[in-house]
Amino acid sequence: MGKVYRKQRIEGVTVPAIIRNGQYFWHNMAVYEDGTVSCWDKVDLSDVPEKLKIGKLAVSVPNGEWLSVFHCCSLKIESAKWSFDSKSYYNFIKETVKSLNPEMANIYKTTNREKAKWKSHRVGFMADPTPFKLKGKLGYTMLDGNRMNIFLRGGGKIALTALFCYEDGTFSVDGMGEEYLTMEDIERLFADKTLCAAPERGETISFGALGEAKILTNPKLSVSDKDKLSEIKNDSLAIQNKPAALDLCRDAYFAYLIDPCDFYKEKLREAYEAVPEHQRCYLGDMDTRDADYVRILYTNEKREV
């Protein structure tokens, strides 16, 4: 018998979550209609209580601890009001699945046989979500997107939420309804401080269903609004399969390596400085990051071959 396999598309939604992995991390957690949950690992609905028990999946951040918000900032949690304990949060996840799948049919459960199989092959699975919007009102054609963290002001508070970029060049912000936005709209929302990369000291932050906290200490590792806006523009270009700042910078780097003259060095400098500062670490691998770019542009060191 020949070996075969099939792929299946499973829809879901994201819900606010906190992952504890040495420190606390904000996570837009995907919950799917088949009961699969993405809490950095792919788990079944029945596995969620264990993740809560061991603290990998958290329902709060203790006062005085820092919460890392990827590509935005780190927040010191003070004077917080949290909504859930482990039991009620698990019920919240179950109700989310039920809202997607009212019959609770075909709920996925990984068998011990499957777990043993993948463990023997040293295979781990993720269930990272792909955001999408529907293309038009006829049919069910999906346009893929990507997602990033953002802060949204309104109603006297500032909410930690998500911004989505789509293949057709449009955007949406969770918390602003189902309206699709243009790049000009996003720029306007940054200009009037409706959107920002980090809150200000003294603001009360809403974490959606999880609760809220007042921030009495300045955020650390804050990304500037200018760099965040550049990140959004570049992510939009990338999802449209257009050259973005990282691609253009790598191209300029290789052009300089081939012909290390002043002309290509200046082109590399322009391309490097166009990359948002918090994303420059992705120009190289996990070890080198952007070290060689810095060496070429800002030092007199010679490269060892």
Side-chain angles (χ1 to χ4, degrees):
M1 293 182 289
K3 293 185 176 181
V4 300
Y5 73 93
R6 66 182 176 89
K7 293 184 178 180
Q8 185 176 7
R9 178 175 287 168
I10 306 295
E11 293 184 25
V13 296
T14 56
V15 299
I18 297 167
I19 300 294
R20 188 178 185 186
N21 186 27
Q23 66 183 84
Y24 294 93
F25 296 88
W26 175 256
H27 181 46
N28 289 295
M29 188 169 73
V31 178
Y32 298 93
E33 59 189 345
D34 66 348
T36 300
V37 176
S38 175
C39 53
W40 283 16
D41 303 316
K42 176 187 175 184
V43 300
D44 303 332
L45 186 59
S46 60
D47 294 325
V48 172
E50 179 62 21
K51 293 292 184 180
L52 288 163
K53 181 179 179 181
I54 65 176
K56 175 68 180 292
L57 182 59
V59 297
S60 62
V61 178
N63 286 348
E65 295 286 346
W66 291 84
L67 175 67
S68 177
V69 184
F70 184 64
H71 278 185
C72 281
C73 60
S74 288
L75 303 170
K76 190 174 184 181
I77 300 301
E78 298 154 298
S79 186
K81 298 178 182 178
W82 301 104
S83 303
F84 298 108
D85 57 21
S86 293
K87 182 177 179 180
S88 60
Y89 187 70
Y90 177 55
N91 288 333
F92 168 66
I93 299 302
K94 285 197 298 183
E95 287 302 311
T96 300
V97 175
K98 192 171 183 180
S99 70
L100 298 166
N101 180 358
E103 302 82 9
M104 294 297 279
N106 302 316
I107 297 298
Y108 186 75
K109 178 76 171 88
T110 307
T111 65
N112 290 332
R113 174 186 56 77
E114 287 177 286
K115 291 178 180 179
K117 174 184 177 180
W118 300 124
K119 183 178 180 180
S120 68
H121 288 279
R122 298 183 180 181
V123 174
F125 286 99
M126 306 293 286
D128 292 339
T130 300
F132 75 92
K133 63 178 281 192
L134 293 180
K135 182 180 180 180
K137 297 181 179 180
L138 296 176
Y140 205 76
T141 302
M142 293 179 174
L143 293 174
D144 286 350
N146 52 32
R147 180 189 73 244
M148 67 192 72
N149 295 318
I150 199 75
F151 289 89
L152 171 66
R153 285 192 175 91
K157 295 182 181 179
I158 182 168
L160 176 50
T161 186
L163 181 146
F164 302 91
C165 311
Y166 300 102
E167 286 180 295
D168 61 354
T170 63
F171 305 84
S172 66
V173 178
D174 198 7
M176 294 186 68
E178 297 185 2
E179 177 186 4
Y180 292 109
L181 308 169
T182 64
M183 191 67 237
E184 290 73 20
D185 293 327
I186 298 298
E187 291 173 337
R188 174 180 52 79
L189 291 169
F190 268 89
D192 67 16
K193 303 297 184 181
T194 300
L195 294 179
C196 61
E200 298 177 358
R201 184 174 64 180
E203 289 192 294
T204 297
I205 300 176
S206 169
F207 298 105
L210 284 181
E212 62 181 42
K214 191 167 186 178
I215 302 302
L216 305 176
T217 303
N218 285 328
K220 294 193 304 185
L221 306 174
S222 295
V223 173
S224 70
D225 284 354
K226 179 182 177 181
D227 275 352
K228 191 66 182 180
L229 189 56
S230 293
E231 177 193 347
I232 293 168
K233 291 177 180 177
N234 284 306
D235 276 21
S236 178
L237 291 171
I239 197 64
Q240 296 177 71
N241 291 315
K242 297 178 180 178
L246 286 166
D247 305 306
L248 296 173
C249 189
R250 292 189 189 103
D251 289 345
Y253 172 71
F254 290 120
Y256 174 81
L257 293 182
I258 293 169
D259 185 2
C261 64
D262 289 344
F263 175 81
Y264 285 116
K265 183 174 182 179
E266 185 56 31
K267 290 294 183 184
L268 176 58
R269 184 190 308 278
E270 292 173 2
Y272 178 79
E273 293 179 354
V275 176
E277 188 174 351
H278 64 288
Q279 291 188 304
R280 293 173 185 170
C281 59
Y282 303 121
L283 288 166
D285 59 31
M286 292 183 65
D287 296 319
T288 63
R289 302 195 175 206
D290 63 337
D292 206 40
Y293 294 78
V294 173
R295 177 193 64 80
I296 293 168
L297 297 173
Y298 307 113
T299 75
N300 293 318
E301 295 177 16
K302 299 297 182 182
R303 185 180 187 184
E304 294 184 8
V305 179

